[in-house]
Amino acid sequence: MIKTSTFRRNFKCLEQMFENSVNNEKNASIKKDYVSSEKETNNQCLLLKLALLEFSGWLEETLDEIYISLGTTENEKELIERYISSCYSYNERNVKDCLIFCLGKNKFTNLANSYDKGKRSAFINELNEMSKKRNKNAHTYADINILRGGQMSLTQIKKEFIYFYKSFKILIKEIDKVK
């Protein structure tokens, strides 16, 4: 149910591009070509931003697929699609509202109560943090000098991907229990 192939393919491509840029930067630095070195540093910042936005897109699409899967008829699925089209983020409030809409208040309450409190709290915190990082990057243009140093690394994004992949699998199992 959780699709990962497109994100994984795009992420591998970004990793390769990033590695090439790092190598180009090192070679430029060795040659004391500081203009090219600076250009490669800027490229790396943009690639990190793109990797985060790709990951965020995967998060949003995965949540959308989970929501839509909760519809039992084509009409319900269409209604859910219309509802979630107005949800532009994956912070706690939006995820909660979407799940309440899809499951109903009682089933949502059962879901929240059945979920391990520690895991639920960690999941919500991670969603909120990723939502903030996504918004910071998605709602600004790329001012390279500001981006430098304050971005998630490719390794961090990969760890978040693994965390959310596992968390979504747990969420799906918990939803199945309350349906």
Side-chain angles (χ1 to χ4, degrees), residues 44-135:
Q44 292 161 32
C45 289
L46 291 170
L47 289 167
L48 290 173
K49 178 176 178 163
L50 180 57
L52 177 64
L53 294 176
E54 279 290 309
F55 173 63
S56 294
W58 175 80
L59 277 173
E60 289 184 52
E61 284 187 19
T62 302
L63 282 167
D64 288 352
E65 288 173 15
I66 291 170
Y67 302 143
I68 293 166
S69 74
L70 297 174
T72 55
T73 66
E74 283 306 310
N75 286 340
E76 284 181 1
K77 290 177 189 268
E78 286 177 26
L79 188 62
I80 291 169
E81 281 186 67
R82 275 187 259 138
Y83 180 82
I84 64 175
S85 68
S86 65
C87 299
Y88 297 105
S89 181
Y90 47 82
N91 60 28
E92 176 184 8
R93 183 180 51 84
N94 285 337
V95 171
K96 180 182 175 183
D97 290 348
C98 287
L99 286 172
I100 288 172
F101 181 84
C102 296
L103 291 169
K105 185 84 169 162
N106 290 339
K107 287 182 182 177
F108 174 79
T109 301
N110 292 341
L111 172 66
N113 291 337
S114 72
Y115 219 94
D116 176 87
K117 288 187 192 321
K119 287 181 182 178
R120 183 180 72 211
S121 197
F123 179 67
I124 289 168
N125 289 338
E126 285 296 315
L127 274 176
N128 286 333
E129 284 304 307
M130 285 308 305
S131 182
K132 287 177 193 172
K133 290 173 183 176
R134 178 246 180 232
N135 290 341

Side-chain angles (χ1 to χ4, degrees), residues 10-55:
N10 292 349
F11 194 78
K12 282 184 187 249
C13 181
L14 288 167
E15 283 180 311
Q16 186 61 55
M17 292 168 70
F18 192 85
E19 185 179 320
N20 291 343
S21 181
V22 168
N23 289 335
N24 291 343
E25 178 191 9
K26 286 178 185 174
N27 290 336
S29 291
I30 290 169
K31 295 176 184 175
K32 298 188 190 295
D33 180 357
Y34 300 115
V35 172
S36 294
S37 178
E38 178 75 11
K39 177 185 159 210
E40 292 303 330
T41 302
N42 293 344
N43 286 343
Q44 292 161 32
C45 289
L46 291 170
L47 289 167
L48 290 173
K49 178 176 178 163
L50 180 57
L52 177 64
L53 294 176
E54 279 290 309
F55 173 63

